[in-house]
Amino acid sequence: MALSARAWTVTISSLAGRPVLMCSACPQPLVAVGAAGVVQVRRHLAGHLAESRLPAYLRTCQCRERICAWHGRQGPCSGPLRLLLIRADRGLTWHLADACTACAAAIPCAATVPEPPQDSAVHTVRAPAGEVVADLACEPVEWVEAQ
């Protein structure tokens, strides 16, 4: 049985002179609108997350599955999984993926995203002490990168 990985990548690109979002999980590009592109990226990723519904015991560190391409190898994967929002390529590429605590701490420009509740749309989640939390639906000015 093949499991669906909880890892998605969205890139803000250009197609015929128009900004578009290219998603690793979607067959067609989505039209992006200027500065609102980052907000659209987060909302698009949130949509994939809401549809994923993969039980916690089936999740794995996606950084390890990609041979730690999001950071230099620091050591073995360890610790509980975190859902991360990762900004790369000066904000043109965004990843949303599960990563272990060790990898999460080593990935630059990453913030922990609260897990959505399984049965309701309204929730309040606190991040573990010392972690930055990202809201997938927030405005770009609210993005705070981990140090």
Side-chain angles (χ1 to χ4, degrees), residues 72-146:
R73 192 69 193 135
Q74 304 283 326
C77 288
S78 65
L81 289 180
R82 303 277 187 253
L83 181 60
L84 292 185
L85 179 63
I86 305 163
R87 182 183 69 114
D89 300 328
R90 295 177 305 279
L92 295 177
T93 301
W94 296 79
H95 308 283
L96 181 63
D98 288 321
C100 70
T101 304
C103 288
I107 298 172
C109 301
T112 301
V113 176
E115 288 287 341
Q118 292 295 324
D119 57 354
S120 69
V122 178
H123 66 286
T124 303
V125 179
R126 293 181 187 248
E131 288 194 17
V132 175
V133 176
D135 178 357
L136 287 178
C138 71
E139 296 300 319
V141 294
E142 294 177 9
W143 169 254
V144 180
E145 295 175 9

Side-chain angles (χ1 to χ4, degrees), residues 17-66:
R18 294 182 332 190
V20 295
L21 303 181
M22 304 294 284
C23 177
S24 62
C26 296
Q28 299 293 323
L30 307 159
V31 177
V33 181
V38 173
V39 173
Q40 287 179 280
V41 166
R42 292 181 184 161
R43 287 185 180 145
H44 185 80
L45 290 170
H48 285 301
L49 179 62
E51 294 170 356
S52 69
R53 303 289 187 223
L54 190 61
Y57 68 91
L58 294 176
R59 297 177 189 150
T60 60
C61 178
Q62 293 302 305
C63 183
R64 180 186 64 200
E65 296 296 321
R66 286 156 180 73

